[in-house]
């Protein structure tokens, strides 16, 4: 006999409805109470069924003590008004291998959404996109958002390679080449005119781009000077109240961007 | 509605799109761009300015033009019902696919190296990359990576395994579940026909090089 989930809830409400039809309470007629409980029953069932969102919290992130590949998802959750728990993994402990062995691909980050565990940062971003209606309004927007996010990922991979493998020798060349990668995003942002990459509200691609641009501004504070739409995008996203609160927080500021201290 | 794939005359990054469409019996046109045509800058420039990334493949679905292989694959997966039965399966498919992409990127890097010096190290590391997929497929359901229907991620893994067997025929010897998975998927009628076709066999994995 189900006591949880939709069936459980229906049973509990059913039992309340049954009680109410047999008892006169506070001089409200039983039939009136019967109708009232049924009305609420219908609303509860509709709410549960119409929510297409699986799990939806509580959220826990397990990761190292850096922004790294969790930067974008944290900003997204903050902007979406979500609270989350952080489990910070010490790198020396990680190298012992016990936690690593439990991770499907031997990697972090890990997101737990209720009892559901998910790995791979872009899979996590997409999952959050589905949970919080940040994956476009239709199939066409979803495809364009995917395209943008993949473009951001390409840039992120180049950035990470430079940071971890070629910082001293390759930083200047990287910065010089950067406009050739940013111009595409500038063009899309300028064309869309809404202040977001696709559609008229933030998608997971926007959070990912925003985060990667913040990191690039630390690398080179003038890198957006020739890209007015991207500059305005960063300013507007930074000014969104929940993002502003998060970026001003100790939790955000205390974490280095990257694991090797370079930025 | 017409589907058109524009790419070089190689398997490369687009092959997984072809495999998915062939298996699903979805008709599509192909526009072939040779390296000469690509270097002659007009098409490349138009990719850059319109809107995007100066790269191939390009995919057209009616009036929707898409770049980025994985965005194209996801779009087709949504369209053809290859993205799991619910949100949980979709998230797991994404997770599997991201890991497959990680291995694919390593493979592509190896393929484009100027000599064979990286091959030994690559093959030594390969079992570590394959183990999670072996583990996933050796569960009691095990027929596909996620759920009980073929998905976006399965097509990526199948072609990656086929290409790894070309690179090193014994690479799956220690992975019985991957072997049986590969056998099972390649026995799907449309895939069997496609993998035995001249169309597939004559298309090099990457331009020019050894496979």
């Amino acid at each position: 006999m189900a006591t949880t989930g939709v069936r459980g809830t229906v049973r509990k409400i059913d039992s309340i409805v049954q009680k109410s039809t047999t008892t006169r309470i506070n001089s409200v007629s039983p039939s009136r109470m019967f109708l009232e409980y049924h009305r609420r029953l219908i609303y509860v069932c509709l709410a549960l069924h119409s929510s297409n969102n699986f799990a939806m919290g509580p959220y826990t992130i397990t990761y190292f003590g850096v922004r790294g590949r969790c930067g974008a998802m944290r900003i997204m959750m903050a902007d979406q008004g979500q609270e989350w728990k952080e489990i910070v993994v010490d790198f020396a402990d990680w190298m012992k291998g016990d936690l690593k062995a439990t991770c499907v691909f031997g990697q972090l980050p890990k997101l737990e959404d209720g009892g559901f565990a998910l790995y791979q940062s872009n899979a996590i971003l997409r999952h959050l996109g589905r949970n919080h209606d940040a994956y476009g309004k239709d199939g066409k927007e979803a495809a364009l958002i995917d395209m943008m996010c993949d473009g951001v990922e390409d840039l992120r991979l180049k950035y990470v390679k430079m940071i971890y493998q070629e910082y001293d020798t390759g930083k200047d060349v990287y910065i010089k080449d950067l406009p050739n990668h940013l111009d595409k995003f500038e063009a899309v942002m300028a064309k869309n005119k809404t202040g977001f990459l696709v559609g008229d509200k933030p998608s997971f691609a926007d959070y990912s781009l925003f985060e990667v641009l913040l990191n690039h501004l630390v690398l080179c504070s003038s890198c957006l000077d020739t890209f007015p739409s991207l500059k305005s995008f960063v300013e507007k996203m930074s000014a969104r109240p929940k993002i502003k609160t998060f970026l001003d927080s100790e939790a955000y500021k205390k974490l280095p961007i990257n694991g090797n201290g370079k930025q | 509605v017409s589907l058109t794939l524009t790419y070089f005359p190689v398997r490369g990054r687009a092959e997984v799109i072809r495999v998915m469409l062939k298996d699903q019996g979805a008709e599509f046109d192909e526009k072939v761009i040779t390296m000469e045509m690509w270097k002659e800058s007009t098409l490349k420039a138009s990719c850059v300015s319109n809107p995007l990334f100066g790269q191939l493949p390009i995919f057209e679905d009616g009036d929707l033009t898409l770049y980025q292989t994985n965005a194209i694959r996801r779009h087709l997966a949504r369209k053809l019902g290859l993205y799991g039965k619910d949100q949980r399966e979709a998230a797991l498919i994404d997770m599997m696919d991201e890991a497959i992409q990680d291995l694919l990127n390593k493979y592509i890097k190896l393929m484009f190296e100027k000599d064979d010096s990286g091959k030994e190290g690559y093959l030594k590391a390969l079992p570590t990359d394959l183990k999670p997929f072996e583990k996933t497929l050796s569960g009691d359901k095990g027929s596909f990576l996620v759920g009980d229907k073929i998905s976006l991620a399965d097509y990526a893994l199948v072609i990656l395994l086929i290409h790894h067997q070309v690179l090193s025929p014994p690479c799956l010897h220690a992975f019985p579940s991957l072997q049986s998975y590969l056998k099972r998927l390649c026995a799907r009628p449309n895939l069997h026909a496609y993998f035995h076709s001249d169309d597939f066999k004559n298309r090099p994995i990457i331009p020019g090089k050894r496979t």
Side-chain angles (χ1 to χ4, degrees), chain A residues 52-54 104-105 116 118-120 122-123 126-127 130-131 135 140 142-143 146-148 150-151 154 184, chain B residues 52-53 64 66-68 70-71 74-75 78 83 87-88 90-92 94-96 98-99 102 132-133:
Chain A
N52 210 6
N53 304 323
F54 164 76
V104 177
F105 297 102
F116 178 58
L118 194 60
Y119 301 86
Q120 298 287 348
N122 288 311
R126 288 191 161 84
H127 177 66
R130 291 183 195 106
N131 272 358
Y135 211 146
K140 182 175 172 178
D146 279 333
M147 192 164 80
M148 291 301 131
D150 286 355
D154 282 351
K184 291 102 177 163
Chain B
L52 276 272
F53 296 96
L64 176 64
L66 288 176
Y67 302 79
Q68 294 283 359
N70 296 322
R74 289 196 156 83
H75 172 70
R78 279 188 285 266
Y83 222 142
Q87 195 174 314
R88 180 181 170 277
L92 293 172
D94 280 336
M95 180 176 81
M96 288 290 149
E98 291 293 336
D102 282 350
F133 303 112

Side-chain angles (χ1 to χ4, degrees), chain B residues 99-117:
Chain B
I100 295 165
Q101 295 309 308
D102 282 350
L103 180 56
L104 174 64
N105 287 333
K106 283 186 199 153
Y107 170 81
I108 287 172
K109 185 165 181 265
L110 180 75
M111 288 294 105
F112 280 98
E113 274 168 10
K114 292 190 186 0
D115 56 39
D116 272 347
S117 58

Side-chain angles (χ1 to χ4, degrees), chain A residues 86-234:
Chain A
E86 296 266 1
I87 297 176
V88 182
V89 177
D90 174 72
F91 198 72
D93 283 341
W94 173 254
M95 292 309 282
K96 289 176 193 159
D98 301 324
L99 175 60
K100 189 176 161 77
T102 68
C103 300
V104 177
F105 297 102
Q107 294 172 334
L108 297 177
K110 170 182 179 184
L111 178 83
E112 287 165 275
D113 177 356
F116 178 58
L118 194 60
Y119 301 86
Q120 298 287 348
S121 58
N122 288 311
I124 292 168
L125 283 177
R126 288 191 161 84
H127 177 66
L128 293 172
R130 291 183 195 106
N131 272 358
H132 300 288
D133 196 20
Y135 211 146
K137 69 176 198 283
D138 57 27
K140 182 175 172 178
E141 284 197 355
L144 295 172
I145 287 165
D146 279 333
M147 192 164 80
M148 291 301 131
C149 192
D150 286 355
V152 175
E153 176 64 22
D154 282 351
L155 178 59
R156 193 182 289 284
L157 285 170
K158 291 190 171 75
Y159 169 83
V160 163
K161 183 171 184 243
M162 182 277 293
I163 288 283
Y164 284 98
Q165 294 175 24
E166 301 159 354
Y167 188 84
D168 297 319
T169 53
K171 177 183 167 181
D172 293 336
V173 169
Y174 180 88
I175 291 171
K176 211 163 167 205
D177 186 45
L178 193 52
N180 296 326
H181 303 293
L182 294 181
D183 58 358
K184 291 102 177 163
F185 298 108
E186 173 73 14
V188 171
M189 199 65 81
K191 191 171 178 199
N192 197 31
K193 294 186 177 61
T194 60
F196 304 109
L197 286 166
V198 178
D200 54 15
K201 56 187 207 167
S203 70
F204 64 86
D206 290 297
Y207 296 113
S208 193
L209 177 64
F210 173 57
E211 198 262 344
V212 92
L213 291 178
L214 285 179
N215 296 340
H216 279 78
L217 285 168
V218 171
L219 180 72
C220 170
S221 57
S222 58
C223 71
L224 297 186
D225 286 355
T226 52
F227 299 111
S229 298
L230 289 180
K231 200 166 185 183
S232 157
F233 168 73
V234 170

Side-chain angles (χ1 to χ4, degrees), chain A residues 74-86:
Chain A
R74 288 178 178 127
I75 290 172
M76 182 173 181
M77 288 193 290
D79 192 48
Q80 295 291 332
Q82 298 299 308
E83 299 199 343
W84 70 92
K85 186 177 157 196
E86 296 266 1

